[in-house]
Each structure stands twice: as structure tokens, then as C-alpha cells.
């Protein structure tokens, strides 16, 4: 199956700093990439959808100025958490899709962010 | 408002028996339904999907059933194996994936 990688797998940062998370599709071109957030024992919540070369579409309640998404190529999307706070601590997961309209997405392994 | 619901947070099944995971949804406009398997601190892994125009899809030990009139789908795993122990998420799709809250399956010997 298609492989999606994320880097870093875990990161600890101080409050007020910014953190960048990379998501790469390794063996296919991802038309669309998605960023999710998962709180403990809860479902995955879609944060934003990004298409290569265009601005990301954010879900209601997600601050676009805080969670900056860049989808510069068909194989790379980045999520930057700016001015991180302890409440931003979470498990962030990206996914990629090479086709439209089926919902079949390939997920990265996730990034555990801890803000101290 | 939770559009996709998995009402059983956990399920315990003996090895070799059938595991049945259930999922209910509220939006009749969903096009596809998918099941994902997830281990702790890892991303979900796609298992099986079904189009809204079908009522059954089978792939090896995994079968998904869709009852549109009841807005209900289920995942059957038979025979269950200890390696199947994980959290299973159902998800529904129109223009984006909406996930249920997951069911933790434990398969014991």
C-alpha cells in the first residue's frame, strides 16, 4: 500500500515557540493532504485539508494563523504550530490521498507534540 | 453533533471466534464508509471500505455490511486473531472523512 511518513515522531517544545511537522507521501503523488488531531481516547478530528499549490481549507474552530499549513509539492505538506501552548499538546496525524471521492486516505504514523 | 458513532468503546473476543464491530451514522449523504485499524501512537491503517450503493464487501477475514435504511454498518472479523487487537475506527465520507470514536478490540487466546 501507499506509504506516508511524518517527521518528527515526537517533539517537546517550550511554550511560545513554533514547531514544524512534515508529512511526506513516499511512493505516490498526493493530490490532497489532510491534517488531523487526536486527543486521548477520542476520535480523529480533521483540522484542515490542503491541495498542492493552493491555500488550505480549515475546519470550523481551527485557527489558521496558529496552525500554518503549506503544501508546496505533491509529496510534501507541513504543519507549523505557531506560538505553541500546553493545550496544543496532542497527537497530530497527516494523511494523503491520490484520488478523489473515495475517502481512502493513507495515514502517517503521527507526531506526538508536548508543549511544556 | 456526532455524525458517526461507535457505541461500544470496547469488545473482547476469544481467538477463533467472530468479532463484530458496529457503527451508526446520521447523514444519509455519505458516499463511502471505511474501517481503519489503529495501534497506540501510530496512524490508522486502512482495512476495508464499502460504497453506499452496496450492502456487503468482503476481503479475506474482513467483511463490512451496510444497512442504509438503519444507517448502520458493521465490520466482521472471522476468525479473530490476537494480532487483531487494536482500536477500530469507522469513518464516513462525503467531501471529508468523519471518524467515529473507536472501539477497542481485544482478542484473547
Amino acid at each position: 500500500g501507499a506509504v506516508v511518513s511524518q517527521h518528527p515522531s515526537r517533539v517537546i517544545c517550550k511554550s511560545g515557540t513554533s514547531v514544524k511537522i512534515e508529512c511526506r507521501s513516499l511512493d505516490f503523488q498526493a493530490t490532497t493532504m489532510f491534517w488531523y488531531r487526536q486527543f486521548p481516547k477520542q476520535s480523529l478530528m480533521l483540522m484542515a485539508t490542503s491541495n498542492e499549490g493552493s491555500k488550505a481549507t480549515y475546519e470550523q474552530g481551527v485557527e489558521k494563523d496558529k496552525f500554518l499549513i503549506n503544501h508546496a509539492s505533491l509529496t510534501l505538506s507541513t504543519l507549523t504550530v505557531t506560538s505553541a501552548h500546553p493545550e496544543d499538546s496532542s497527537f497530530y496525524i497527516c494523511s494523503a490521498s491520490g484520488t478523489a471521492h473515495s475517502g481512502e486516505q493513507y495515514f502517517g504514523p503521527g507526531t506526538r507534540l508536548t508543549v511544556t | 453533533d456526532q455524525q458517526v458513532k461507535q457505541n461500544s468503546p470496547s469488545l473482547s473476543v476469544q481467538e477463533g471466534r467472530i468479532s463484530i464491530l458496529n457503527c451508526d451514522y446520521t447523514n444519509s449523504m455519505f458516499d463511502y464508509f471505511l474501517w481503519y485499524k489503529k495501534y497506540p501512537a501510530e496512524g490508522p491503517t486502512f482495512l476495508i471500505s464499502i460504497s453506499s450503493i452496496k450492502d456487503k464487501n468482503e476481503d479475506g477475514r474482513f467483511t463490512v455490511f451496510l444497512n442504509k435504511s438503519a444507517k448502520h454498518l458493521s465490520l466482521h472479523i472471522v476468525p479473530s486473531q490476537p494480532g487483531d487487537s487494536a482500536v477500530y475506527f469507522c469513518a464516513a465520507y462525503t467531501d471529508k472523512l468523519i471518524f467515529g470514536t473507536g472501539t477497542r478490540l481485544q482478542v484473547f487466546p
Side-chain angles (χ1 to χ4, degrees):
Chain A
V3 179
V4 176
S5 70
Q6 264 182 258
H7 179 80
S9 58
R10 61 177 64 212
V11 56
I12 301 173
C13 71
K14 292 188 176 181
S15 186
T17 62
S18 295
V19 173
K20 181 186 284 188
I21 303 170
E22 292 187 350
C23 177
R24 294 182 185 271
S25 58
L26 299 184
D27 52 1
F28 69 105
Q29 293 187 324
T31 309
T32 308
M33 286 186 167
F34 307 84
W35 287 95
Y36 294 83
R37 182 173 179 178
Q38 186 183 25
F39 294 99
K41 297 184 180 180
Q42 292 190 28
S43 183
L44 284 76
M45 301 299 297
L46 179 65
M47 297 174 66
T49 303
S50 73
N51 293 293
E52 184 264 340
S54 62
K55 289 184 178 180
T57 302
Y58 290 81
E59 295 300 301
Q60 190 173 8
V62 178
E63 298 176 59
K64 62 180 181 180
D65 295 328
K66 181 168 186 60
F67 299 100
L68 301 179
I69 292 172
N70 183 280
H71 192 163
S73 76
L74 285 172
T75 59
L76 173 65
S77 176
T78 60
L79 168 68
T80 301
V81 183
T82 62
S83 187
H85 291 283
E87 57 265 32
D88 298 326
S89 298
S90 191
F91 192 58
Y92 292 87
I93 308 174
C94 74
S95 71
S97 174
T99 60
H101 310 305
S102 71
E104 189 171 322
Q105 299 173 15
Y106 299 95
F107 285 81
T111 297
R112 169 71 61 192
L113 170 63
T114 304
V115 184
T116 60
Chain B
D1 180 35
Q2 190 76 23
Q3 294 189 61
V4 180
K5 298 179 183 180
Q6 293 175 257
N7 293 317
S8 298
S10 64
L11 174 67
S12 187
V13 173
Q14 189 173 31
E15 182 179 7
R17 306 293 288 264
I18 184 171
S19 295
I20 300 176
L21 298 114
N22 293 303
C23 180
D24 297 296
Y25 61 95
T26 57
N27 187 347
S28 58
M29 299 301 291
F30 288 130
D31 298 315
Y32 283 86
F33 302 89
L34 306 93
W35 284 93
Y36 286 85
K37 177 180 179 180
K38 187 180 183 298
Y39 295 110
E42 292 186 12
T45 303
F46 170 75
L47 276 177
I48 191 169
S49 66
I50 187 168
S51 165
S52 61
I53 62 174
K54 297 192 174 183
D55 55 18
K56 178 182 176 181
N57 188 26
E58 190 173 354
D59 184 2
R61 295 187 298 115
F62 302 94
T63 303
V64 57
F65 295 92
L66 176 62
N67 183 334
K68 283 190 292 183
S69 61
K71 292 189 176 67
H72 177 84
L73 68 154
S74 61
L75 174 67
H76 293 208
I77 306 173
V78 57
S80 300
Q81 299 172 354
D84 296 329
S85 298
V87 177
Y88 288 78
F89 288 95
C90 71
Y93 178 82
T94 50
D95 58 346
K96 61 185 178 183
L97 273 179
I98 299 175
F99 284 86
T101 50
T103 297
R104 180 175 301 280
L105 172 66
Q106 185 175 11
V107 180
F108 59 93

